[in-house]
Amino acid sequence: MTQRKSNALKGGKPPPSALLHYPFTLCLENLPLESLVYNHREVMGNAQSGGIPREILDDLKLTTRFSESEITQWYENFQKQCPTGRITLKQFEEIYAKFFPESDAKAYAQHVFRSFDANDDGTLDFKEYVVALHMTSSGKSTLKLEWAFSLFDVDKNGYVTKPEVTELSQALFSLIPKSKQASLPSDESTPEKRAEKLWAIFDKKDNERVAEGEFITAVQSNEVALRLIQYDHK
């Protein structure tokens, strides 16, 4: 674990680069999350007792930046904390509730969960979980923005619409503690105002839509847009 991650996990505020992925590390770092532990033990998919299946390991080594030792250790921790080999939406919501105790994180957690549930089966397995970590913790900003686009693309049709921007803006706004909402700029003091501000940056009419490339280009070139698409902890 890097020093930056260690500091965050010890109770300090996570650095800005960690805001998109920090909640995911809660389970993989083998922290005492009793809500994720079941009374029975099932083995994920075709997993062999005591180790990660070779085909899953090889696939994750190819598709992520993580080493074999990292993936293997995370698998062991995942199996201990999530004995069924899967995380349900309810459990995922509980993780976010712990990370945002002063806010209502349920809606945002649901959107994040949806973006990582690749096969739409209502759970996250180990492979989906590690891919999630890879996408949100990668040093490549484009990869993070591709994930951010999938977060805003609620219906998964390859485009983002103004209603979807409004829906995500509402979820993100709910992460901000009420004590801090009063100090927000006047043009960002409500979810609707934040959505209007972000949509204006995309330079689209209300009935138009934003493609992935347009979304990434707009956010990369505008610091305000980058701030509005994620939780602003300041």
Side-chain angles (χ1 to χ4, degrees):
M1 190 191 310
T2 65
Q3 184 61 41
R4 290 174 68 189
K5 242 183 217 181
S6 298
N7 291 338
L9 292 172
K10 286 178 181 177
K13 288 184 178 180
S17 61
L19 290 175
L20 294 178
H21 75 276
Y22 174 64
F24 304 119
T25 67
L26 296 180
C27 181
L28 293 184
E29 294 296 345
N30 200 21
L31 295 180
L33 296 179
E34 291 81 6
S35 62
L36 293 181
V37 179
Y38 285 77
N39 293 323
H40 60 286
R41 184 175 294 272
E42 297 175 13
V43 181
M44 176 181 62
N46 63 343
Q48 300 173 354
S49 177
I52 182 172
R54 171 53 61 176
E55 61 270 25
I56 294 179
L57 177 60
D58 289 343
D59 187 36
L60 288 174
K61 285 168 61 179
L62 286 173
T63 57
T64 74
R65 62 184 178 83
F66 303 126
S67 67
E68 180 169 334
S69 60
E70 287 176 316
I71 296 171
T72 301
Q73 182 60 55
W74 283 351
Y75 181 79
E76 293 176 1
N77 292 343
F78 188 90
Q79 290 296 92
K80 290 177 182 178
Q81 294 291 328
C82 314
T84 64
R86 297 180 180 277
I87 299 175
T88 66
L89 175 58
K90 181 179 179 181
Q91 293 168 324
F92 199 76
E93 291 172 351
E94 291 172 352
I95 293 175
Y96 268 80
K98 290 177 182 291
F99 187 61
F100 296 100
E102 299 178 2
S103 309
D104 181 1
K106 186 174 182 178
Y108 186 69
Q110 291 172 348
H111 284 296
V112 175
F113 187 91
R114 179 254 310 155
S115 73
F116 287 130
D117 183 13
N119 60 2
D120 294 319
D121 69 350
T123 65
L124 295 183
D125 59 26
F126 178 71
K127 185 175 179 180
E128 289 172 322
Y129 202 87
V130 174
V131 170
L133 280 169
H134 169 64
M135 291 186 68
T136 57
S137 65
S138 171
K140 297 180 179 179
S141 61
T142 300
L143 190 59
K144 292 180 181 178
L145 291 177
E146 287 176 357
W147 170 71
F149 177 82
S150 72
L151 192 64
F152 278 76
D153 182 15
V154 177
D155 61 7
K156 298 185 177 183
N157 71 344
Y159 295 92
V160 168
T161 63
K162 188 175 182 181
E164 288 175 325
V165 167
T166 300
E167 185 172 346
L168 263 296
S169 295
Q170 290 172 335
L172 284 163
F173 192 82
S174 294
L175 296 180
I176 305 173
K178 292 188 180 298
S179 60
K180 294 184 178 181
Q181 291 179 7
S183 61
L184 293 171
S186 60
D187 62 345
E188 298 180 13
S189 59
T190 68
E192 293 76 16
K193 289 181 179 179
R194 293 168 76 91
E196 287 289 346
K197 190 171 184 177
L198 179 57
W199 190 251
I201 294 172
F202 294 135
D203 193 25
K204 295 286 186 177
K205 296 179 181 179
D206 287 357
N207 62 345
E208 293 182 327
R209 56 188 187 176
V210 180
E212 182 179 47
E214 295 175 312
F215 182 95
I216 292 174
T217 299
V219 174
Q220 280 181 327
S221 61
N222 193 297
E223 292 185 2
V224 173
L226 180 60
R227 176 170 54 78
L228 290 174
I229 68 168
Q230 61 183 319
Y231 168 63
D232 184 4
H233 70 294
K234 296 179 180 179

